[in-house]
Coordinates of all heavy atoms in Angstrom, one line a residue:
M782 N 112.5 92.9 98.6 CA 111.7 92.2 99.7 C 110.4 93.0 100.0 O 110.5 94.2 100.1 CB 112.6 92.1 100.9 CG 111.9 91.6 102.2 SD 111.4 89.9 102.1 CE 112.9 89.1 102.5
I783 N 109.3 92.3 100.1 CA 108.1 92.9 100.5 C 108.1 93.1 102.0 O 108.4 92.2 102.7 CB 106.9 92.1 100.1 CG1 106.9 91.9 98.6 CG2 105.6 92.7 100.6 CD1 106.0 90.7 98.1
T784 N 107.7 94.3 102.5 CA 107.5 94.5 103.9 C 106.1 94.9 104.1 O 105.5 95.7 103.5 CB 108.4 95.7 104.4 OG1 109.8 95.4 104.1 CG2 108.2 96.0 105.8
V785 N 105.5 94.2 105.1 CA 104.1 94.4 105.5 C 104.1 95.2 106.8 O 104.7 94.7 107.8 CB 103.3 93.1 105.7 CG1 101.8 93.5 106.1 CG2 103.3 92.3 104.4
H786 N 103.6 96.4 106.8 CA 103.4 97.1 108.1 C 102.1 96.7 108.7 O 101.0 97.1 108.3 CB 103.5 98.6 107.8 CG 104.9 99.0 107.2 ND1 105.9 99.4 108.0 CD2 105.3 99.0 105.9 CE1 107.0 99.6 107.2 NE2 106.6 99.4 105.9
H787 N 102.2 95.9 109.7 CA 101.1 95.2 110.2 C 100.7 95.7 111.6 O 101.5 95.7 112.6 CB 101.5 93.7 110.4 CG 100.5 92.8 111.1 ND1 99.3 92.5 110.5 CD2 100.5 92.2 112.3 CE1 98.6 91.8 111.3 NE2 99.3 91.6 112.4
L788 N 99.5 96.2 111.7 CA 98.9 96.7 113.0 C 98.2 95.5 113.6 O 97.4 94.8 112.9 CB 98.0 97.9 112.7 CG 97.2 98.5 113.9 CD1 98.3 99.2 114.8 CD2 96.2 99.5 113.4
E789 N 98.4 95.3 114.9 CA 97.7 94.2 115.6 C 96.2 94.3 115.4 O 95.6 95.4 115.3 CB 98.1 94.2 117.1 CG 97.6 95.5 117.8 CD 97.7 95.4 119.3 OE1 97.6 94.4 119.8 OE2 97.9 96.5 119.9
N790 N 95.6 93.2 115.3 CA 94.1 93.1 115.2 C 93.5 94.0 114.1 O 92.7 94.9 114.4 CB 93.4 93.4 116.6 CG 93.9 92.4 117.6 OD1 94.0 91.2 117.3 ND2 94.0 92.9 118.8
S791 N 94.0 93.8 112.9 CA 93.6 94.7 111.9 C 93.4 94.0 110.6 O 93.8 92.8 110.5 CB 94.5 95.9 111.7 OG 95.7 95.4 111.0
R792 N 92.9 94.6 109.6 CA 92.7 94.0 108.3 C 94.0 93.7 107.5 O 93.9 93.1 106.5 CB 91.7 94.8 107.4 CG 92.2 96.1 107.0 CD 91.2 97.0 106.4 NE 90.4 97.6 107.5 CZ 89.2 98.3 107.3 NH1 88.7 98.4 106.1 NH2 88.6 98.8 108.3
S793 N 95.1 94.1 108.1 CA 96.3 93.8 107.4 C 96.6 92.3 107.5 O 97.4 91.7 106.8 CB 97.5 94.6 107.9 OG 97.8 94.2 109.3
Q794 N 95.8 91.6 108.4 CA 95.9 90.1 108.4 C 95.5 89.5 107.0 O 96.1 88.5 106.6 CB 94.9 89.6 109.4 CG 94.9 88.1 109.7 CD 96.2 87.7 110.4 OE1 96.7 88.4 111.3 NE2 96.9 86.7 109.9
R795 N 94.7 90.2 106.3 CA 94.3 89.7 105.0 C 95.4 89.7 104.0 O 95.6 88.8 103.1 CB 93.1 90.6 104.4 CG 91.9 90.6 105.2 CD 91.0 91.7 104.8 NE 89.8 91.7 105.6 CZ 88.9 92.7 105.6 NH1 89.1 93.7 104.8 NH2 87.8 92.6 106.3
V796 N 96.3 90.7 104.1 CA 97.5 90.8 103.3 C 98.4 89.7 103.6 O 99.0 89.0 102.7 CB 98.2 92.2 103.4 CG1 99.5 92.2 102.6 CG2 97.2 93.3 102.9
L797 N 98.6 89.4 104.9 CA 99.5 88.2 105.3 C 98.9 86.9 104.7 O 99.7 86.1 104.2 CB 99.6 88.2 106.8 CG 100.2 89.4 107.5 CD1 100.2 89.2 109.0 CD2 101.6 89.7 107.0
W798 N 97.6 86.7 104.8 CA 97.0 85.5 104.2 C 97.3 85.4 102.7 O 97.7 84.3 102.2 CB 95.5 85.5 104.3 CG 95.0 85.3 105.7 CD1 95.6 84.6 106.7 CD2 93.7 85.7 106.2 NE1 94.8 84.6 107.8 CE2 93.6 85.3 107.6 CE3 92.6 86.5 105.7 CZ2 92.5 85.6 108.4 CZ3 91.5 86.7 106.5 CH2 91.5 86.3 107.8
L799 N 97.2 86.5 102.0 CA 97.5 86.5 100.5 C 98.9 86.2 100.3 O 99.2 85.4 99.4 CB 97.1 87.8 99.9 CG 97.4 88.0 98.4 CD1 96.6 86.9 97.6 CD2 97.1 89.3 97.9
L800 N 99.8 86.8 101.0 CA 101.2 86.5 100.8 C 101.6 85.0 101.0 O 102.4 84.4 100.3 CB 102.1 87.4 101.7 CG 102.1 88.9 101.3 CD1 102.6 89.8 102.4 CD2 103.0 89.1 100.1
E801 N 100.9 84.5 102.1 CA 101.1 83.0 102.3 C 100.6 82.2 101.2 O 101.2 81.2 100.7 CB 100.4 82.6 103.6 CG 101.1 83.2 104.9 CD 102.5 82.5 105.1 OE1 102.7 81.3 104.8 OE2 103.4 83.3 105.5
E802 N 99.4 82.6 100.7 CA 98.8 81.8 99.6 C 99.7 81.9 98.3 O 99.7 80.9 97.5 CB 97.4 82.3 99.3 CG 96.4 82.0 100.3 CD 96.1 80.5 100.4 OE1 96.2 79.8 99.3 OE2 95.8 80.0 101.5
L803 N 100.3 83.0 98.1 CA 101.1 83.2 96.9 C 102.5 82.6 97.1 O 103.3 82.6 96.2 CB 101.3 84.7 96.6 CG 100.0 85.4 96.1 CD1 100.2 86.9 95.9 CD2 99.5 84.8 94.7
G804 N 102.8 82.2 98.4 CA 104.1 81.6 98.6 C 105.3 82.6 98.5 O 106.4 82.2 98.2
L805 N 105.1 83.9 98.9 CA 106.1 84.9 98.7 C 106.9 85.1 100.0 O 106.4 84.9 101.1 CB 105.4 86.2 98.3 CG 104.7 86.2 97.0 CD1 104.0 87.5 96.8 CD2 105.7 86.0 95.8
D806 N 108.1 85.5 99.8 CA 108.9 85.9 101.0 C 108.5 87.3 101.3 O 108.4 88.2 100.5 CB 110.4 85.9 100.7 CG 110.9 84.4 100.5 OD1 110.3 83.5 101.1 OD2 111.9 84.2 99.7
Y807 N 108.5 87.6 102.6 CA 108.1 88.9 103.1 C 108.6 89.1 104.5 O 108.9 88.1 105.2 CB 106.6 89.2 103.0 CG 105.8 88.3 103.8 CD1 105.4 88.6 105.1 CD2 105.4 87.0 103.3 CE1 104.6 87.7 105.9 CE2 104.6 86.1 104.1 CZ 104.2 86.5 105.3 OH 103.5 85.7 106.1
E808 N 108.7 90.4 104.9 CA 109.0 90.6 106.3 C 107.8 91.4 106.9 O 107.1 92.1 106.2 CB 110.3 91.4 106.5 CG 110.3 92.8 106.0 CD 111.6 93.5 106.4 OE1 112.5 92.9 106.9 OE2 111.6 94.7 106.1
V809 N 107.6 91.3 108.2 CA 106.5 91.9 108.9 C 107.1 92.9 109.9 O 108.0 92.5 110.7 CB 105.6 90.9 109.6 CG1 104.5 91.6 110.4 CG2 105.1 89.9 108.7
K810 N 106.7 94.1 109.8 CA 107.0 95.1 110.9 C 105.7 95.3 111.7 O 104.6 95.7 111.1 CB 107.4 96.4 110.3 CG 108.8 96.3 109.7 CD 109.5 97.7 109.6 CE 110.9 97.5 109.1 NZ 111.5 98.7 108.6
R811 N 105.7 95.0 113.0 CA 104.5 95.0 113.8 C 104.4 96.3 114.5 O 105.3 96.9 115.0 CB 104.6 93.9 114.8 CG 104.6 92.5 114.3 CD 104.7 91.5 115.4 NE 103.7 91.7 116.4 CZ 102.4 91.3 116.4 NH1 102.0 90.6 115.4 NH2 101.6 91.6 117.4
Y812 N 103.1 96.7 114.6 CA 102.8 98.0 115.3 C 101.6 97.6 116.3 O 100.7 96.9 115.9 CB 102.3 99.1 114.3 CG 103.3 99.4 113.3 CD1 103.5 98.7 112.2 CD2 104.1 100.6 113.5 CE1 104.5 99.0 111.2 CE2 105.1 100.9 112.5 CZ 105.3 100.1 111.4 OH 106.2 100.5 110.5
E813 N 101.7 98.2 117.5 CA 100.7 98.0 118.4 C 99.8 99.2 118.5 O 100.2 100.3 118.4 CB 101.3 97.7 119.8 CG 102.0 96.3 119.8 CD 102.5 95.9 121.1 OE1 102.3 96.6 122.1 OE2 103.2 94.8 121.1
R814 N 98.5 98.9 118.8 CA 97.5 100.0 118.9 C 97.7 100.7 120.3 O 98.2 100.1 121.2 CB 96.1 99.4 118.9 CG 95.7 98.9 117.5 CD 94.3 98.3 117.6 NE 93.9 97.7 116.4 CZ 93.2 98.4 115.4 NH1 92.8 99.6 115.6 NH2 92.8 97.8 114.3
D815 N 97.4 102.0 120.3 CA 97.3 102.7 121.6 C 96.4 102.0 122.5 O 95.2 101.7 122.1 CB 96.9 104.1 121.4 CG 96.9 104.9 122.7 OD1 96.0 104.7 123.5 OD2 97.7 105.8 122.8
P816 N 96.8 101.6 123.7 CA 95.9 100.8 124.6 C 94.6 101.5 124.9 O 93.6 100.8 125.2 CB 96.8 100.5 125.8 CG 97.9 101.4 125.7 CD 98.1 101.9 124.3
E817 N 94.6 102.8 124.9 CA 93.3 103.5 125.3 C 92.5 103.8 124.1 O 91.3 103.6 124.1 CB 93.7 104.8 126.1 CG 94.2 104.5 127.5 CD 94.4 105.7 128.3 OE1 94.0 106.8 127.9 OE2 95.0 105.6 129.4
T818 N 93.1 104.4 123.1 CA 92.3 104.9 121.9 C 92.1 103.8 120.9 O 91.2 103.9 120.0 CB 93.0 106.1 121.3 OG1 94.2 105.6 120.7 CG2 93.2 107.2 122.3
R819 N 93.0 102.8 120.9 CA 93.0 101.7 119.9 C 93.4 102.2 118.6 O 93.3 101.5 117.6 CB 91.7 100.9 119.8 CG 91.1 100.4 121.1 CD 92.1 99.5 121.9 NE 92.4 98.3 121.1 CZ 93.4 97.5 121.4 NH1 94.3 97.8 122.3 NH2 93.6 96.4 120.7
L820 N 93.9 103.4 118.5 CA 94.4 103.9 117.2 C 95.8 103.4 116.9 O 96.5 102.9 117.8 CB 94.4 105.5 117.2 CG 93.0 106.1 117.3 CD1 93.1 107.6 117.4 CD2 92.2 105.8 116.0
A821 N 96.2 103.6 115.6 CA 97.5 103.2 115.3 C 98.6 104.1 115.8 O 98.2 105.3 116.1 CB 97.6 103.2 113.7
P822 N 99.8 103.7 116.1 CA 100.8 104.6 116.6 C 101.3 105.6 115.6 O 101.2 105.3 114.3 CB 101.9 103.6 117.0 CG 101.8 102.5 116.1 CD 100.3 102.3 115.8
P823 N 101.8 106.7 116.0 CA 102.3 107.7 115.0 C 103.4 107.2 114.1 O 103.5 107.7 113.0 CB 102.9 108.8 115.9 CG 102.2 108.6 117.2 CD 101.9 107.2 117.4
A824 N 104.1 106.1 114.5 CA 105.1 105.6 113.6 C 104.6 105.2 112.2 O 105.3 105.2 111.2 CB 105.8 104.4 114.3
L825 N 103.3 104.8 112.2 CA 102.8 104.4 110.9 C 102.7 105.5 109.9 O 102.7 105.3 108.7 CB 101.4 103.7 111.1 CG 101.4 102.2 111.0 CD1 99.9 101.7 111.3 CD2 101.9 101.6 109.7
K826 N 102.6 106.7 110.4 CA 102.5 107.9 109.6 C 103.9 108.2 108.9 O 103.9 108.9 107.9 CB 102.0 109.2 110.3 CG 100.6 109.2 110.5 CD 100.0 110.6 110.8 CE 98.5 110.5 110.8 NZ 97.9 111.2 111.9
T827 N 104.9 107.7 109.5 CA 106.2 107.8 108.8 C 106.4 106.9 107.6 O 107.2 107.1 106.8 CB 107.4 107.6 109.8 OG1 107.4 106.2 110.2 CG2 107.3 108.5 111.1
V828 N 105.5 105.9 107.6 CA 105.5 105.0 106.4 C 104.6 105.5 105.3 O 105.0 105.5 104.1 CB 105.0 103.6 106.9 CG1 105.1 102.6 105.7 CG2 105.8 103.1 108.1
H829 N 103.4 106.0 105.7 CA 102.5 106.5 104.7 C 101.7 107.6 105.4 O 101.3 107.3 106.6 CB 101.6 105.4 104.2 CG 100.7 105.8 103.0 ND1 99.6 106.6 103.2 CD2 100.8 105.6 101.7 CE1 99.0 106.8 102.0 NE2 99.8 106.3 101.1
P830 N 101.4 108.7 104.8 CA 100.7 109.8 105.5 C 99.3 109.4 106.1 O 98.8 110.0 107.0 CB 100.5 110.9 104.4 CG 101.4 110.5 103.3 CD 101.8 109.1 103.4
L831 N 98.6 108.4 105.5 CA 97.3 108.0 106.1 C 97.5 107.5 107.5 O 96.6 107.6 108.3 CB 96.7 106.9 105.2 CG 96.0 107.3 103.9 CD1 95.5 106.1 103.2 CD2 94.9 108.3 104.2
G832 N 98.6 106.9 107.8 CA 98.9 106.4 109.2 C 98.0 105.2 109.5 O 97.8 104.9 110.7
K833 N 97.5 104.4 108.5 CA 96.7 103.3 108.8 C 97.3 102.0 108.2 O 98.3 102.1 107.5 CB 95.3 103.5 108.2 CG 94.6 104.7 108.8 CD 93.1 104.7 108.4 CE 92.4 105.9 109.0 NZ 92.2 105.7 110.5
S834 N 96.8 100.9 108.6 CA 97.3 99.6 108.2 C 96.2 98.9 107.5 O 95.0 99.0 107.9 CB 97.7 98.8 109.5 OG 98.2 97.5 109.1
P835 N 96.5 98.1 106.4 CA 97.8 97.8 106.0 C 98.5 98.8 105.1 O 97.8 99.5 104.4 CB 97.6 96.5 105.3 CG 96.2 96.6 104.7 CD 95.4 97.4 105.7
V836 N 99.8 98.7 105.2 CA 100.7 99.4 104.2 C 101.7 98.4 103.8 O 102.2 97.7 104.7 CB 101.3 100.6 104.8 CG1 102.3 101.3 103.8 CG2 100.3 101.7 105.2
I837 N 102.1 98.3 102.6 CA 103.3 97.5 102.2 C 104.3 98.4 101.5 O 103.9 99.4 100.9 CB 102.9 96.3 101.3 CG1 102.4 96.7 99.9 CG2 101.9 95.4 102.0 CD1 102.5 95.6 98.9
S838 N 105.5 97.9 101.5 CA 106.5 98.5 100.6 C 107.2 97.4 99.9 O 107.3 96.2 100.4 CB 107.6 99.3 101.4 OG 108.2 98.5 102.4
D839 N 107.5 97.6 98.6 CA 108.1 96.6 97.8 C 109.0 97.4 96.7 O 108.5 98.2 96.0 CB 107.0 95.9 97.0 CG 107.6 94.7 96.2 OD1 108.6 94.2 96.5 OD2 106.9 94.3 95.2
D840 N 110.3 97.1 96.8 CA 111.2 97.8 95.8 C 111.0 99.3 95.9 O 111.0 99.9 94.8 CB 111.0 97.3 94.4 CG 111.5 95.9 94.2 OD1 112.4 95.5 95.0 OD2 111.0 95.2 93.3
G841 N 110.9 99.8 97.1 CA 110.8 101.3 97.2 C 109.4 101.9 96.9 O 109.2 103.1 97.2
L842 N 108.5 101.0 96.5 CA 107.1 101.5 96.3 C 106.3 101.3 97.6 O 106.4 100.2 98.2 CB 106.5 100.7 95.2 CG 105.1 101.1 94.6 CD1 105.2 102.5 94.0 CD2 104.7 100.0 93.6
V843 N 105.6 102.3 98.0 CA 104.8 102.2 99.2 C 103.3 102.2 98.8 O 102.9 103.1 98.1 CB 105.1 103.3 100.2 CG1 104.2 103.3 101.4 CG2 106.6 103.3 100.6
I844 N 102.5 101.2 99.3 CA 101.1 101.1 98.8 C 100.3 101.0 100.1 O 100.5 100.1 100.9 CB 100.9 99.9 97.9 CG1 101.9 99.9 96.7 CG2 99.5 99.9 97.4 CD1 101.9 98.7 95.9
A845 N 99.2 101.8 100.2 CA 98.2 101.7 101.2 C 96.9 101.2 100.6 O 96.8 101.2 99.4 CB 98.0 103.1 101.9
E846 N 96.0 100.9 101.4 CA 94.6 100.5 101.1 C 94.6 99.0 100.7 O 95.3 98.6 99.7 CB 94.0 101.3 99.9 CG 93.5 102.7 100.4 CD 92.3 102.6 101.2 OE1 91.5 101.7 101.1 OE2 92.1 103.6 102.0
T847 N 93.8 98.2 101.5 CA 93.8 96.8 101.3 C 93.6 96.4 99.8 O 94.3 95.5 99.3 CB 92.7 96.2 102.2 OG1 92.9 96.7 103.5 CG2 92.8 94.7 102.2
G848 N 92.6 97.0 99.2 CA 92.2 96.6 97.9 C 93.3 96.9 96.9 O 93.6 96.1 96.0
A849 N 94.0 98.0 97.0 CA 95.1 98.4 96.1 C 96.3 97.4 96.4 O 97.0 97.1 95.4 CB 95.5 99.8 96.4
I850 N 96.5 97.1 97.6 CA 97.6 96.2 97.9 C 97.4 94.8 97.3 O 98.2 94.2 96.7 CB 97.8 96.0 99.4 CG1 98.3 97.4 100.0 CG2 98.7 94.9 99.8 CD1 98.2 97.5 101.5
I851 N 96.2 94.3 97.4 CA 95.8 93.0 96.9 C 95.9 93.0 95.4 O 96.5 92.1 94.7 CB 94.4 92.6 97.4 CG1 94.5 92.2 98.9 CG2 93.9 91.4 96.6 CD1 93.2 92.0 99.5
D852 N 95.4 94.1 94.8 CA 95.5 94.2 93.3 C 96.9 94.2 92.8 O 97.3 93.6 91.9 CB 94.8 95.5 92.9 CG 94.5 95.6 91.4 OD1 94.0 94.6 90.9 OD2 94.9 96.6 90.8
Y853 N 97.8 95.0 93.6 CA 99.2 95.0 93.2 C 99.9 93.7 93.3 O 100.6 93.2 92.4 CB 99.9 96.1 94.1 CG 101.4 96.1 94.0 CD1 102.0 96.7 93.0 CD2 102.2 95.4 95.0 CE1 103.4 96.7 92.9 CE2 103.5 95.3 94.9 CZ 104.2 96.0 93.9 OH 105.5 96.0 93.8
L854 N 99.7 93.0 94.5 CA 100.3 91.7 94.7 C 99.9 90.7 93.7 O 100.7 89.9 93.2 CB 100.1 91.2 96.1 CG 100.8 92.1 97.2 CD1 100.3 91.6 98.6 CD2 102.3 92.0 97.1
V855 N 98.6 90.6 93.4 CA 98.1 89.6 92.5 C 98.6 89.9 91.1 O 99.0 89.0 90.3 CB 96.6 89.5 92.6 CG1 96.1 88.6 91.4 CG2 96.2 88.9 93.9
G856 N 98.6 91.2 90.7 CA 99.0 91.6 89.4 C 100.5 91.3 89.2 O 100.9 90.9 88.1
K857 N 101.3 91.6 90.2 CA 102.8 91.4 90.0 C 103.3 90.0 90.3 O 104.2 89.5 89.6 CB 103.5 92.4 91.0 CG 105.0 92.3 90.8 CD 105.7 93.5 91.6 CE 107.2 93.4 91.4 NZ 107.9 94.5 92.1
Y858 N 102.7 89.3 91.2 CA 103.2 88.0 91.7 C 102.3 86.9 91.4 O 102.7 85.7 91.6 CB 103.6 88.1 93.1 CG 104.6 89.1 93.5 CD1 104.3 90.3 94.2 CD2 106.0 88.9 93.1 CE1 105.3 91.2 94.5 CE2 107.0 89.8 93.4 CZ 106.6 91.0 94.1 OH 107.6 91.9 94.4
G859 N 101.0 87.1 91.1 CA 100.0 86.0 90.9 C 100.3 85.3 89.7 O 100.9 85.8 88.7
D860 N 99.8 84.0 89.6 CA 100.0 83.2 88.5 C 98.8 83.2 87.6 O 97.8 82.7 88.0 CB 100.3 81.8 89.0 CG 100.7 80.9 87.8 OD1 100.8 81.3 86.7 OD2 100.9 79.7 88.1
Ligands
GSH1894 N1 90.3 101.6 103.7 C1 91.5 101.2 104.4 C2 91.2 101.3 105.9 C3 92.4 101.1 106.7 C4 92.1 101.2 108.2 O1 91.2 101.9 108.7 N2 92.8 100.4 109.0 C5 92.6 100.3 110.4 C6 92.8 98.9 110.9 S1 91.7 97.7 110.2 C7 93.6 101.2 111.1 O2 94.7 101.4 110.7 N3 93.1 101.7 112.3 C8 93.9 102.4 113.2 C9 93.7 103.9 113.1 O3 92.8 104.4 112.4 O4 94.4 104.7 113.8 C10 91.9 99.8 104.0 O5 91.0 99.0 103.6 O6 93.1 99.4 104.0

């Protein structure tokens, strides 16, 4: 199962769009920004050391960076 670590109001929305376009099953783990700093919560650093969104995990593989995620998803699941 693909998991998208999704930070509110962030570019991880692009990954959700792609997953919908590819018709894939996935789960979303939502993270909220700090209301004052607007930064991601520390919990995202437990997923990937960058602590930024988007990050996905798939079959134990954790991938950060929007471009790398898109490249991975299209390469593995695209037609
Ligand atoms: N180059 C990265 C940038 C990731 C990034 O900066 N994400 C922002 C959201 S659009 C973020 O996590 N901001 C919260 C923070 O920096 O704490 C990518 O394209 O995925």
